[in-house]
Amino acid sequence: MNRNSLRVNAGLRKQEVKEANIQVAVRCRGINRRDSSKRKKESEFSVDPSRSQIKSLKEHGKTYTFDRVFGEKSTQADIFKEIVAPMLVEVLSGYNCSILAYGMTGTGKTYTMEGGDPSTVPIIVNNCPSQDAGIIPRTLIELFNSLSKFSEYSVKLSFIELYNEQPRDLLSTENNPEQIKIYDDSRKGGVVIQNLEEVLLKDAMHGINILKQGSERRRKAVTNYNARSSRSHCVFTITIHIKETTTEGEELLKVGKFNLVDLAGSENIGRSGAEDGHAKEAGSINKSLLTLGRVIDKLVSDSAHVPYRDSNLTRILQDSLGGRTKTCIIATISPSRNSYDETLSTLEYAHRAKQIKNKPEINQKLTKMVLLKEYVDQIERLKADLQAARERNGIFLTPESWRATQDEIQDLKTQSKDLQDNIKQYQKEIHELNDKIGHMELIEISNRKAVAEFQGTFLSLASGLEAAISKSKTMDLELNEAMHNQLYTFSDQAQKNLIDSQKYIDIGFDQLDKRRQEIEQLSTDQNKAYRELYDEQTRLFLGYRDANLEAQNKLNSSFENILQGLRQVLDNHFSKINACHDKVNEEMASLMTTTQSHVEAQDNTIKLLQNVLMDTITSQQKRRELFYSEITNKIKTSKTIETTTSLNREHLSALERSYELTKSHLTSLEQEPNEELKTKIESIQTGVKSHNELSITAANSVLDALTSTNDSADKTLERLGQEHSKSLGIFSNDIEKMYSDMRVPLANIQDGLQNSLIPFEEMTREKANKTQRVYDDAISYMQKARNEVNILLTEKVKSEVSRKRTNSRVPLPISATFKRQKIDNDDAISDL
Ligand SMILES: Nc1ncnc2c1ncn2[C@@H]1O[C@H](COP(=O)(O)OP(=O)(O)OP(=O)(O)O)[C@@H](O)[C@H]1O
């Protein structure tokens, strides 16, 4: 173990750098026993890891989008794989990286960074991280796995907590560890933590054990939300040195630093149940987190001054926020409905932090010489310290310690100047506030005065109002009484008016009845005249209709006669044509029979000839076979003779000769019947041919006869058609003539009808005008009568009202009853 001064951003060099936003991930744990014991199970946020979004389900709830969102199903391995492993690669390539866990108490910051409670859950199982192992143990295991490919490397770690703003070394085993000091390095820049122990790690397990021990030393307390609530911020720093050899053979040291920060809970003091000392704790936690919030705000708003110095937490995290470190914030939230406000504030906080831009820079590689020089310097400093301690020669400080003290003094001076500036600023603000209070007091005095005045006015107004109310009540009573009296009088009057109007109406009705009777009489007369006219017209119409019907019937009967004649002519034509057709068919049938019998006779002759031919061939065959057997017998005999006696050989040759002769004779015989047959067939063929020719000639002559019959039938048909169209033309001419003959008498009938209608129309028109005039008279008379009734009624009412008004003490408006009565009267008149 090595007591050292840890430079939070040591070893950086100037280089071209790109800005990069801080990465922000949100982890929402599942409901646990503490949430469910409060029966606050349902969440008011919807967590959507696939879209990296969290949405408040309250009305007008906001949706927050982050770089990554982990839901309750996300495991420790998921967080490591997606967030930590890529950052570890960056650390190994020479970057400084930080991961900060932020959230209210009990939401899983320590669980995420370290894992489950090591006293109950093992961190390592079978040399592998357990399911509950958090970021730090997983990082250590993965780091040593990755480093195994390098020949030389070193891994150091430090572990500090900030409790009530005070830094404390969690690796120190001493009872009274040397006070850790945090100061700004004015020469090299950055923040230095002095007297911090750094442990050189042998392997991952070594680191995990140190984590366990350090974690045990951490301040913890029971809160409403967490049985083992961490009450401090803590920073676990892993520093890695890797030796590299350049192509030129120079040995360089690559440095990377990984800060793993578990912040204290950002809870509300009252709700977390923190009391007494813990309330102070919570206040101090909140103070450093408030400063962290202010730092974030200033960074986001690009402010010139960022108040890193206002808390030790922000001083340590200075390089991770807006500095040259690659940073990721993991905001942890609870799904419990009870924690809605805290969750919302965490989300707001994290969302703001997302906008912070860092300028990550790779650390400068150290040469062996530089490193040696650093170690030599350190040894010299320690030697000098030892010497001074041995000699006990007053206060001895090595130049390095002196410089560190000077830096610290300088830092304190800067802090004191900052504080003085702050005090001045606060005094100015207090002064302004005092002015405002004085001003407010003046306003309050004037307000009080105004209130007193207002009260006076209000009281006098109230008493006046009360008097007015009692007066108005008396008036109301009087008025009511007068109204009742008035109402009764008016109602009597209205009754009287109604009776008068009824009388007038009765008179009007009598007169109207009279007029109605007159009109009815008129209408009866008119109806009678109409009836007479109608009867006369009906009679005329019937006469014309009968005459017309007669003419129509005549026309129809002549039409019928013509059609009858035409039908007869056509029937004659068709019977003639049918007879012709029958004759042709008959002749065709007889021709067919004749031809059939000819063909049958021919067939018989051919069959006969064939039989004769077959008989001849068979007899010929028999004769030849007979002849052959005879010859064969003769040859046999002659051969027998030849073998018995050579003397007979000559006879034999003679026989042979005779055989030859016979043979030629036979051949001639054979040819002879063929010739005969041929001649016979030829003669038969000639006979058949001549017979056929004869038949064809006969058929042709029959066909010719038939064709000529057909032609004559066609001619007859044509003639008949011509005759038919001729008779049709005559017929249509007759009809046309008949129509032209009829046209004049028809026109005369129409004219007669027209002429008879004219006087009738005139008479009707006259009668209609007369009726109209009678109606107009009646209506004007009724109008006049109604107006008269109206005037009479109005005058009567008016005179009654004016008489009433002059008689009554208080002028009153026409009562509602009277108004209604008047409306009823008007309606009755208008109905009339
Ligand atoms: N994702 C999780 N899965 C399982 N258990 C969890 C998870 N997150 C938290 N827990 C459990 O919830 C309890 C509280 O978690 P933890 O101590 O990590 O909260 P915290 O945010 O660090 O609280 P505090 O700020 O008070 O220290 C612990 O018992 C822890 O094991």
Side-chain angles (χ1 to χ4, degrees):
M1 200 178 288
N2 201 351
R3 194 170 290 282
N4 223 331
S5 294
L6 185 80
R7 190 173 293 281
V8 174
N9 60 344
L12 295 164
R13 67 182 159 103
K14 283 259 168 257
Q15 53 190 293
E16 271 298 302
V17 281
K18 274 190 196 160
E19 281 191 334
N21 277 75
I22 280 184
Q23 297 290 298
V24 178
V26 177
R27 184 182 198 184
C28 180
R29 67 161 166 76
I31 289 278
N32 63 24
R33 266 191 292 130
R34 275 179 186 268
D35 300 320
S36 50
S37 70
K38 292 186 182 71
R39 300 190 186 284
K40 304 283 187 214
K41 275 192 169 178
E42 322 79 356
S43 177
E44 283 182 307
F45 287 94
S46 90
V47 178
D48 186 352
S50 63
R51 299 164 83 177
S52 299
Q53 281 183 343
I54 295 181
K55 189 178 185 311
S56 161
L57 297 176
K58 280 200 174 173
E59 205 181 355
H60 309 302
K62 221 169 139 182
T63 301
Y64 299 89
T65 307
F66 296 98
D67 296 303
R68 288 289 288 115
V69 166
F70 297 95
E72 59 177 288
K73 286 188 184 135
S74 296
T75 60
Q76 299 281 64
D78 294 337
I79 310 271
F80 181 79
K81 196 175 129 207
E82 291 188 37
I83 294 183
V84 191
M87 285 186 109
L88 184 61
V89 173
E90 302 279 14
V91 172
L92 288 173
S93 57
Y95 279 99
N96 290 348
C97 294
S98 294
I99 294 177
L100 278 66
Y102 176 91
M104 82 170 269
T105 180
T107 51
K109 296 182 293 298
T110 310
Y111 180 79
T112 303
M113 295 310 290
E114 296 177 17
D117 180 1
S119 59
T120 52
V121 186
I123 297 176
I124 298 292
V125 177
N126 297 334
N127 288 332
C128 289
S130 73
Q131 199 185 318
D132 280 315
I135 290 175
I136 298 176
R138 282 173 195 271
T139 304
L140 287 167
I141 292 166
E142 180 65 26
L143 172 66
F144 277 95
N145 281 344
S146 308
L147 285 173
S148 60
K149 62 175 180 264
F150 295 104
S151 57
E152 272 184 59
Y153 58 83
S154 76
V155 179
K156 286 190 278 179
L157 66 86
S158 66
F159 198 10
I160 61 161
E161 76 169 345
L162 280 170
Y163 177 68
N164 285 345
E165 270 298 286
Q166 287 306 310
R168 182 168 162 247
D169 194 341
L170 292 174
L171 297 189
S172 174
T173 44
E174 293 167 28
N175 286 336
N176 288 315
E178 250 186 276
Q179 190 68 47
I180 291 177
K181 285 176 191 147
I182 301 172
Y183 66 90
D184 294 333
D185 187 342
S186 53
R187 280 172 298 123
K188 291 185 184 169
V191 175
V192 177
I193 306 171
Q194 202 185 26
N195 293 330
L196 189 68
E197 281 194 9
E198 266 195 313
V199 180
L200 188 67
L201 289 189
K202 290 189 290 237
D203 52 29
M205 212 47 225
H206 184 196
I208 290 167
N209 285 331
I210 288 172
L211 167 73
K212 259 205 261 181
Q213 288 157 16
S215 188
E216 278 307 306
R217 285 187 204 113
R218 219 179 145 184
R219 310 283 166 132
K220 292 192 177 77
V222 181
T223 65
N224 288 347
Y225 295 95
N226 193 355
R228 297 180 81 245
S229 174
S230 319
R231 312 309 299 154
S232 60
H233 309 291
C234 89
V235 184
F236 189 92
T237 307
I238 308 169
T239 311
I240 304 140
H241 287 90
I242 301 170
K243 195 180 99 178
E244 274 182 350
T245 312
T246 61
T247 41
E248 289 83 33
E250 193 186 5
E251 287 183 344
L252 295 174
L253 272 182
K254 193 163 65 178
V255 191
K257 203 181 285 262
F258 208 177
N259 297 311
L260 302 163
V261 185
D262 178 7
L263 296 169
S266 59
E267 63 276 7
N268 172 319
I269 302 173
R271 282 155 64 77
S272 69
E275 283 169 9
D276 306 328
H278 292 319
K280 187 193 163 203
E281 231 172 42
S284 135
I285 291 167
N286 278 347
K287 188 192 154 207
S288 46
L289 289 175
L290 273 175
T291 315
L292 182 64
R294 278 215 306 283
V295 164
I296 291 172
D297 281 344
K298 296 285 175 190
L299 285 169
V300 170
S301 62
D302 237 356
S303 176
H305 176 68
V306 183
Y308 290 113
R309 290 169 147 281
D310 286 5
S311 81
N312 274 334
L313 176 70
T314 46
R315 288 179 88 191
I316 294 175
L317 297 180
Q318 183 167 345
D319 195 53
S320 304
L321 301 164
R324 286 163 287 191
T325 301
K326 291 194 171 187
T327 302
C328 173
I329 294 178
I330 302 176
T332 56
I333 57 169
S334 143
S336 164
R337 188 177 272 256
N338 201 31
S339 312
Y340 180 83
D341 293 336
E342 279 82 0
T343 305
L344 202 65
S345 118
T346 304
L347 293 174
E348 281 291 337
Y349 210 91
H351 204 252
R352 246 179 304 141
K354 219 165 92 69
Q355 295 167 51
I356 300 176
K357 284 188 167 59
N358 281 6
K359 290 173 184 159
E361 281 181 42
I362 202 156
N363 290 324
Q364 191 180 16
K365 285 175 185 166
L366 301 172
T367 60
K368 212 174 182 182
M369 290 309 291
V370 173
L371 202 69
L372 264 176
K373 194 178 171 302
E374 258 189 28
Y375 286 141
V376 168
D377 285 352
Q378 200 179 350
I379 290 165
E380 284 304 315
R381 202 174 60 238
L382 288 169
K383 267 187 187 169
D385 280 350
L386 192 67
Q387 186 70 22
R390 269 190 199 144
E391 289 173 2
R392 299 177 192 280
N393 194 4
I395 301 167
F396 178 81
L397 281 176
T398 59
E400 179 62 25
S401 302
W402 185 80
R403 239 180 276 127
T405 319
Q406 283 300 311
D407 282 342
E408 203 180 333
I409 291 165
Q410 187 61 39
D411 182 38
L412 283 168
K413 272 184 188 166
T414 329
Q415 276 190 39
S416 122
K417 196 177 168 295
D418 283 353
L419 282 170
Q420 273 171 2
D421 286 350
N422 280 351
I423 289 164
K424 270 186 198 157
Q425 181 64 29
Y426 289 144
Q427 276 172 349
K428 209 177 142 197
E429 278 174 15
I430 288 166
H431 193 69
E432 279 172 11
L433 280 171
N434 276 337
D435 282 355
K436 274 184 188 163
I437 288 165
H439 186 64
M440 297 281 275
E441 273 171 359
L442 281 176
I443 292 171
E444 203 194 340
I445 291 163
S446 77
N447 277 351
R448 277 210 192 110
K449 226 169 121 190
V451 167
E453 275 172 16
F454 177 71
Q455 273 177 346
T457 325
F458 178 75
L459 283 174
S460 74
L461 273 172
S463 65
L465 210 67
E466 265 173 18
I469 287 166
S470 72
K471 204 176 162 188
S472 86
K473 273 180 185 163
T474 342
M475 272 176 81
D476 200 29
L477 283 171
E478 282 173 13
L479 218 67
N480 259 345
E481 207 180 325
M483 281 257 289
H484 273 293
N485 295 338
Q486 199 70 16
L487 262 172
Y488 285 128
T489 332
F490 266 107
S491 141
D492 291 347
Q493 192 53 47
Q495 201 70 29
K496 232 171 125 196
N497 285 345
L498 194 70
I499 293 160
D500 288 353
S501 354
Q502 198 60 48
K503 253 190 231 162
Y504 282 109
I505 289 160
D506 289 345
I507 295 163
F509 266 123
D510 287 347
Q511 284 172 352
L512 276 174
D513 264 348
K514 247 182 181 174
R515 292 305 299 170
R516 201 188 64 228
Q517 277 166 9
E518 279 174 25
I519 290 162
E520 270 174 8
Q521 187 57 46
L522 261 168
S523 139
T524 323
D525 294 349
Q526 212 173 19
N527 275 349
K528 212 173 148 194
Y530 267 128
R531 188 87 232 160
E532 281 169 13
L533 209 71
Y534 176 76
D535 289 346
E536 197 183 330
Q537 213 176 18
T538 315
R539 196 175 42 76
L540 262 167
F541 265 120
L542 286 172
Y544 285 126
R545 194 194 64 189
D546 292 344
N548 227 355
L549 269 174
E550 214 178 304
Q552 196 75 31
N553 286 340
K554 270 182 192 167
L555 211 70
N556 280 348
S557 67
S558 62
F559 238 132
E560 201 57 46
N561 290 337
I562 291 161
L563 273 174
Q564 195 64 35
L566 213 64
R567 245 181 241 132
Q568 260 175 15
V569 170
L570 275 174
D571 283 349
N572 287 339
H573 287 324
F574 278 116
S575 64
K576 276 179 188 170
I577 288 165
N578 284 341
C580 261
H581 270 285
D582 289 346
K583 207 175 166 189
V584 167
N585 283 342
E586 232 172 65
E587 281 179 21
M588 281 287 272
S590 76
L591 189 70
M592 283 296 282
T593 325
T594 323
T595 314
Q596 195 69 29
S597 63
H598 275 305
V599 168
E600 276 169 11
Q602 264 178 20
D603 277 350
N604 289 336
T605 318
I606 287 165
K607 268 179 197 162
L608 208 71
L609 282 170
Q610 273 174 348
N611 288 340
V612 170
L613 198 65
M614 279 310 288
D615 288 348
T616 319
I617 286 166
T618 317
S619 71
Q620 215 47 171
Q621 193 74 27
K622 275 179 185 166
R623 277 171 68 192
R624 198 189 301 149
E625 276 169 10
L626 196 71
F627 184 71
Y628 273 128
S629 69
E630 269 176 17
I631 291 295
T632 313
N633 287 336
K634 274 182 182 173
I635 288 167
K636 270 181 188 168
T637 319
S638 65
K639 272 186 180 173
T640 321
I641 292 166
E642 195 185 18
T643 50
T644 53
T645 174
S646 57
L647 284 172
N648 287 336
R649 203 169 282 155
E650 276 172 25
H651 177 65
L652 188 65
S653 60
L655 271 172
E656 268 177 0
R657 272 197 306 276
S658 91
Y659 168 71
E660 283 302 320
L661 273 170
T662 316
K663 204 176 170 183
S664 66
H665 179 65
L666 192 65
T667 312
S668 69
L669 267 173
E670 259 180 6
Q671 280 168 359
E672 190 190 338
N674 280 348
E675 284 297 321
E676 194 184 322
L677 199 69
K678 229 176 174 177
T679 325
K680 273 185 181 169
I681 285 166
E682 270 171 10
S683 78
I684 287 165
Q685 276 174 348
T686 326
V688 167
K689 206 176 160 188
S690 66
H691 184 76
N692 274 350
E693 273 167 3
L694 265 173
S695 304
I696 287 163
T697 323
N700 277 343
S701 66
V702 171
L703 254 177
D704 286 346
L706 274 173
T707 313
S708 71
T709 320
N710 245 355
D711 285 350
S712 73
D714 281 345
K715 271 177 193 159
T716 319
L717 262 175
E718 202 181 321
R719 188 174 46 77
L720 279 171
Q722 280 166 2
E723 274 172 15
H724 172 64
S725 44
K726 206 173 148 190
S727 58
L728 261 179
I730 293 160
F731 174 66
S732 64
N733 284 341
D734 287 351
I735 286 171
E736 220 162 77
K737 200 170 162 266
M738 203 183 292
Y739 267 115
S740 71
D741 291 349
M742 289 281 288
R743 209 171 283 141
V744 181
L746 266 173
N748 288 340
I749 290 167
Q750 272 176 352
D751 286 349
L753 267 172
Q754 204 71 32
N755 292 336
S756 71
L757 273 173
I758 291 163
F760 175 70
E761 269 177 5
E762 267 173 16
M763 199 168 70
T764 315
R765 214 175 290 132
E766 212 174 280
K767 292 234 165 173
N769 288 340
K770 209 173 159 189
T771 319
Q772 187 66 43
R773 274 199 300 279
V774 172
Y775 268 116
D776 288 350
D777 284 353
I779 280 164
S780 72
Y781 177 76
M782 268 157 68
Q783 193 73 35
K784 226 167 111 191
R786 198 169 64 178
N787 287 346
E788 274 169 15
V789 171
N790 218 358
I791 289 159
L792 269 169
L793 277 174
T794 321
E795 272 175 5
K796 205 130 186 86
V797 170
K798 265 185 191 168
S799 70
E800 270 310 311
V801 169
S802 67
R803 193 175 61 78
K804 207 75 219 169
R805 277 197 182 151
T806 41
N807 287 351
S808 67
R809 228 171 359 97
V810 191
L812 275 176
I814 298 170
S815 75
T817 325
F818 181 71
K819 268 185 190 165
R820 204 165 42 248
Q821 187 59 55
K822 190 174 179 299
I823 290 163
D824 289 347
N825 288 347
D826 284 349
D827 286 350
I829 290 162
S830 67
D831 282 351
L832 269 172

